[in-house]
Amino acid sequence: MKHNFNAGPSVLPREVIERTAQAVLDFQGEGLSILEISHRAKYFQPVVDEAVALFKELLDIPEGYSVIFLGGGASLQFCMVPFNLLEHKAAYLNTGVWAKKAQKEAKLFGEVVEVASSADANYTFIPKKYEIPADADYFHITTNNTIYGTEMFTDPDSPVPVVADMSSDILSRHIDVSKYGLIYGGAQKNLAPAGVTFVIVKDELLGHVSRPIPTMLDYRIHTTNNSLFNTPPVLPIYSALETLRWLKRNGGVAAAEKRNIEKASLLYDAIDNSRIFVGTARPEDRSRMNICFVMKEEYKELEAEFLAFAGEKGMVGVKGHRSVGGFRASCYNALPLESVKALIECMKEFEKKH
Ligand SMILES: *Cc1c(COP(=O)(O)O)cnc(C)c1O
């Protein structure tokens, strides 16, 4: 049995994979595969509509926001956000590689103020004390730093609209959407296979920049066409729908958050009580989604051996990102508690051997 700790694309609920496979073979008993129907066919718009409705229901999204599904990944949002929202100045919080990449794109469109950064500490914490310029068009944050294993658990107070990259923690915990102007993310961490990007946007923020926006990059084109302006990523959207249905059947975001807290606490406890492993992120900012740890200095040379050992025990994807080293166990919504327990067992067994 494999335990899938991949950072992204990553583990999906078994039911979602089975239902997606079924739709590939025969979509809703129509005698056709979902791969060979028009996105304009009468049966596809309901898929998008239900996915949007479930997104709104599960995150309790207030009136005045649109949910859209696009291509291009979170990385395209790095430029689409400033294209649509940055007139003069934008504020960015630098908490990791993705945050930095988002900032780089914004510089193409206007002045960018980096309000704070934890780069000097290799992004092991989330800066807390900073001032957001009141004349910025928006304030951009990355709520979960997938590579460094840090996460922001409070919705920020900001004098300007907050834009959040939630690629790797969307639907994993309660958020107050009304405190955000725009939320986006690649779906391949917590929601669907690669290929679809979600955007939740407050409609009143759109249409205020003076530059012309190419049609495909204009959020309004997609909000007013219900994500069907052009051919959307049909299959990943269908999988996303199945994940949203699965989440609802299993108690929604609140229940998922409870499970995620349990999984993360178990694993962090094991790391903190270990003789050979040590966590890399500051305890108060530790991510529940991506749990990063290394070998203590005196055991450093055992890292490769542990990876091989874990691999033999069925652990997949526990190698840390090269900029942190060591190990990263991604514990997204769909990762079963059993997988976390198996990893802890494996760590303990390895520790006994040394
Ligand atoms: C993975 C990731 C991205 C990049 O997503 P793509 O869909 O590959 O462009 C951006 N931000 C965060 C926080 C991520 O985890």
Side-chain angles (χ1 to χ4, degrees), residues 52-53 55-57 59-67 176-182 200-205:
V52 168
F55 230 108
K56 289 186 171 174
E57 180 185 334
L59 284 176
D60 202 9
I61 300 176
E63 288 291 310
Y65 286 78
S66 297
V67 175
D176 177 357
V177 175
S178 73
K179 300 199 82 173
Y180 298 86
L182 191 150
I200 303 165
V201 58
K202 195 172 191 174
D203 300 314
E204 68 181 36
L205 293 183

Side-chain angles (χ1 to χ4, degrees), residues 7-8 72-76 78 98-99 142-147 165-168 184-189 196-197 290 332:
S75 300
L76 184 61
F78 296 165
W98 297 118
T142 309
T143 52
N144 184 68
N145 298 283
T146 322
I147 294 175
D165 175 355
M166 292 198 187
S167 293
S168 49
Y184 67 87
Q188 69 274 18
K189 313 276 163 65
V196 64
T197 310
N290 310 98
Y332 297 120

